[in-house]
Amino acid sequence: MFKYHCLNPIAKVGTNRFDEKYTQTDKAEEADGILVRSASMHDMELPASLLAVARAGAGVNNIPLEECAKKGIVVFNTPGANANGVKELVIAGMLLAARDVVGGINWVQANQGDPDIAKAAEKEKKSFAGTEIEDKKLGIIGLGAIGVKVANVAKHMGMEVYGYDPYVSVDAAWNLSRDVKHVLNVDAIYENCDYITIHVPLLDTTRKMINEEAISKMKEGVVILNFARDLLVDEEAILKGISEGKIRKYVTDFPNPTTAGKEGCIVIPHLGASTEESEDNCAVMAVKELKNYLENGNIINSVNYPNCDMGVCTQAGRVAIFHKNIKNMIGKFSTILGDNEINITDMINKSRGEVAYSMFDVEAPLTEEIVNLLKAIDGVFRVRVVK
C-alpha cells in the first residue's frame, strides 16, 4: 500500500486514478509520494519515507531539486500538459497589446451613465485604435511544447514567425510548422521581430536574458511577452525601454510591484495555466508519472534524475539504485548480486549530471542483507526494492 499527500488541491480527475493500492494521507511526513502545484517545499523537512514528488505543472522552482536528488527522491513535472492553455493566453496577450481593448473597456465602464455613450464612443474610439498582427514578425525564444503551439497558431494568423532554440527536441521539430524560420542566433529575433515571446526555463544562463543589452538590439515599438518566468526579464530595463519609446508594450503573466499598474505594461494575474483543462491535464499526468514510478520504478519526465523505463517487471524482483555518476558503480552492484547468487535478467543505467539511476530485474527476491550491502557502497544515495 502506497500513501500519497497533496500539498495543494489536485484535480479529482487525476487523484481518481489512484486505485486500491493507494491511500491519501493528511500527514506529509508519512507519504511515499507528494503531489504539489505552487506550494513551496524549500523549508519543508523531507520525510525518510518520501520516494517521489510530482509537480502538477511545468515550473519546479518551488522544490529543492538538489536536496531531493541526494536523497534519492525523484521529482517529476508535467511538460506540455498546460501548453494549450498558456498558448491561448499568449495569443490573447498579443491581441491585447496590438489593440487597446482594455483601455476601451475601461472607458465604457467609466462612461456607463452617459445616455449618449454610443455617440461619444464614435468620437473616442480613435484613442484606442491599434494595429493588426497579420504580416507582423513574431519571434519565439524557446521551442518547447508551448513555443511550438504559439508558432503554429501565429502562422495560421498570418504572422511571419522566427523561432530560436539551440536545443529543440526531435518531437518539437516534428510538430513545428515548416514555415517557421528556425534561426541559430537569438539576435536575429531581437533585430527583426515586432513581437517577441519567451518560453524557456529559468536557469542561471537565462536569468534576465531580456535585459538592456538585448532591448537595445530590438526594433522600435517592439512588444515583449513573458508567460514563462518573471526573472527571465529585467523589468527595470523594460520600464526604461517603455519610457524611451523603444518598447510599445510589455505583457506579463507575473504581477509584481515593478510592473503592476505601470504605463505600457499589461499585467495578467498568472492565468497561463488557470483553465479547467490545464489543471485536469496536469493532474492526470502527475498521477500517472507517480504511479509508474512507485509501482515499477520507471522514471518519465523527471527534472532531477534521468528518464529510465523498463516496463513492468516479470521477474522475481526489481531493485532501483540511486547513486553518484562515477565509474565502476555497475561493476560493484553486479558483483554483490553475483556473489549472493542473484542472477540479473535485465538492467538499465542512466546518468544526469552528477547523479545516476540503475535498475536491475533479478531471478530471486533480494534479502535485507543484500540490500544493506548495496546501500553500503560509497556513492549510493538510496536503494529501493520495487518488487
Side-chain angles (χ1 to χ4, degrees), residues 181-329:
K181 295 179 173 65
H182 192 194
V183 300
L184 301 179
N185 190 321
V186 71
D187 286 353
I189 284 178
Y190 295 154
E191 295 165 1
N192 290 285
C193 294
D194 306 291
Y195 293 79
I196 297 174
T197 181
I198 186 167
H199 300 284
V200 297
L202 178 60
L203 307 170
D204 289 340
T205 54
T206 60
R207 187 181 299 269
K208 293 191 176 182
M209 66 177 295
I210 303 296
N211 52 30
E212 193 165 349
E213 180 183 0
I215 293 168
S216 70
K217 300 174 183 177
M218 296 178 188
K219 296 173 67 174
E220 293 290 323
V222 67
V223 172
I224 299 173
L225 302 106
N226 179 15
F227 289 80
R229 286 289 177 268
D230 53 351
L231 294 179
L232 295 169
V233 176
D234 182 345
E235 293 185 330
E236 293 292 348
I238 289 284
L239 295 180
K240 181 181 178 183
I242 292 172
S243 67
E244 294 175 348
K246 181 78 169 183
I247 298 172
R248 177 179 169 187
K249 293 286 184 182
Y250 174 57
V251 188
T252 177
D253 201 25
F254 306 102
N256 60 57
T258 303
T259 55
K262 298 298 191 300
E263 184 72 26
C265 296
I266 299 174
V267 183
I268 301 169
H270 203 187
L271 300 181
S274 295
T275 67
E276 292 181 11
E277 294 85 353
S278 287
E279 291 180 7
D280 287 353
N281 292 341
C282 288
V284 168
M285 185 182 288
V287 170
K288 286 174 66 176
E289 292 165 349
L290 193 60
K291 288 183 64 181
N292 193 12
Y293 173 68
L294 293 178
E295 295 173 26
N296 304 306
N298 297 324
I299 298 177
I300 308 294
N301 294 327
S302 172
V303 294
N304 67 340
Y305 270 95
N307 285 348
C308 290
D309 189 353
M310 284 178 58
V312 177
C313 179
T314 58
Q315 299 299 310
R318 173 176 286 180
V319 60
I321 307 175
F322 299 83
H323 56 94
K324 290 182 179 179
N325 182 22
I326 53 180
K327 63 183 180 180
N328 200 32
M329 295 298 281

Side-chain angles (χ1 to χ4, degrees), residues 55-75:
R55 160 76 165 100
V60 288
N61 53 333
N62 56 323
I63 303 170
L65 301 183
E66 187 174 345
E67 182 183 357
C68 286
K70 290 179 179 178
K71 292 186 175 183
I73 300 170
V74 183
V75 179

Side-chain angles (χ1 to χ4, degrees), residues 155-200:
K155 281 301 302 178
H156 285 298
M157 297 178 74
M159 301 188 81
E160 185 178 343
V161 181
Y162 292 68
Y164 170 75
D165 192 333
Y167 309 109
V168 63
S169 69
V170 174
D171 286 343
W174 275 109
N175 292 323
L176 188 64
S177 169
R178 64 182 181 179
D179 295 324
V180 173
K181 295 179 173 65
H182 192 194
V183 300
L184 301 179
N185 190 321
V186 71
D187 286 353
I189 284 178
Y190 295 154
E191 295 165 1
N192 290 285
C193 294
D194 306 291
Y195 293 79
I196 297 174
T197 181
I198 186 167
H199 300 284
V200 297

Side-chain angles (χ1 to χ4, degrees), residues 26-43:
D26 293 330
K27 299 178 180 178
E29 61 270 20
E30 63 180 25
D32 301 294
I34 283 178
L35 290 162
V36 62
R37 292 178 59 199
S38 58
S40 177
M41 297 182 64
H42 286 285
D43 295 327

